[in-house]
Amino acid sequence: MAAIGTLNPGSSGVGPLPEGVRDSAGAEPETVSALSATPTLVESVKVSLSGEALEKSAGFGGDNHDIEGSDLPENVQQLLKMIRKFRQQITEKNARINAVMADKTLSNEERTAKIAALKSAISALNTGLITANLSLAKVVDQSGLTSEQNMKTASLLTKD
């Protein structure tokens, strides 16, 4: 009768001990045999990020790494970041309005109330955006930026 699943010494996957590891009687010392019988497991994890994820993680500021990497004064950078944030929030609120309008589970009253609240929030964000744009124009006029810095400010201002 044959045994299934047994290992003989030649099929264990463990190589023989080097000659110098045996004691004078030719037997393996107990500690060495115990160590050689215990396989060492090595675990590893490989993570790969998409190009977009790498780009977002490249700078701590996330989407504002181009502003932070510019040679513009700090107050101009802060205003550009603020303007970009207002624009992003307005875009998100508009997307939420579209989602509410498409939501068939809402009653007309609920839909109207949610849309009114979102439009009110957009109005407040627009006011903040206008104020930030005016502040940026004032700072740029007073700071004496070079023509290259003015062009960089304009390009960053138009970029989303």
Side-chain angles (χ1 to χ4, degrees), residues 44-116:
S44 64
V45 176
K46 182 178 179 181
V47 177
S48 59
L49 299 175
S50 67
E52 185 177 327
L54 288 173
E55 185 177 311
K56 285 187 175 184
S57 67
F60 178 71
D63 293 334
N64 295 323
H65 67 281
D66 54 344
I67 294 173
E68 293 168 355
S70 68
D71 64 341
L72 298 172
E74 184 66 29
N75 54 351
V76 173
Q77 288 183 19
Q78 293 303 320
L79 287 167
L80 287 168
K81 289 178 192 178
M82 188 182 304
I83 289 168
R84 197 174 276 179
K85 185 175 180 180
F86 279 130
R87 288 180 179 165
Q88 177 187 8
Q89 289 174 345
I90 290 169
T91 302
E92 289 170 0
K93 298 290 184 200
N94 281 323
R96 289 187 60 199
I97 286 176
N98 291 334
V100 168
M101 289 173 49
D103 189 354
K104 302 296 181 193
T105 62
L106 297 174
S107 69
N108 285 337
E109 295 82 22
E110 290 173 320
R111 185 176 294 113
T112 303
K114 287 187 177 192
I115 290 174

Side-chain angles (χ1 to χ4, degrees), residues 9-33:
S11 66
S12 67
V14 178
L17 289 173
E19 290 297 320
V21 178
R22 301 188 187 276
D23 65 6
S24 60
E28 298 177 14
E30 185 176 324
T31 57
V32 173
S33 65

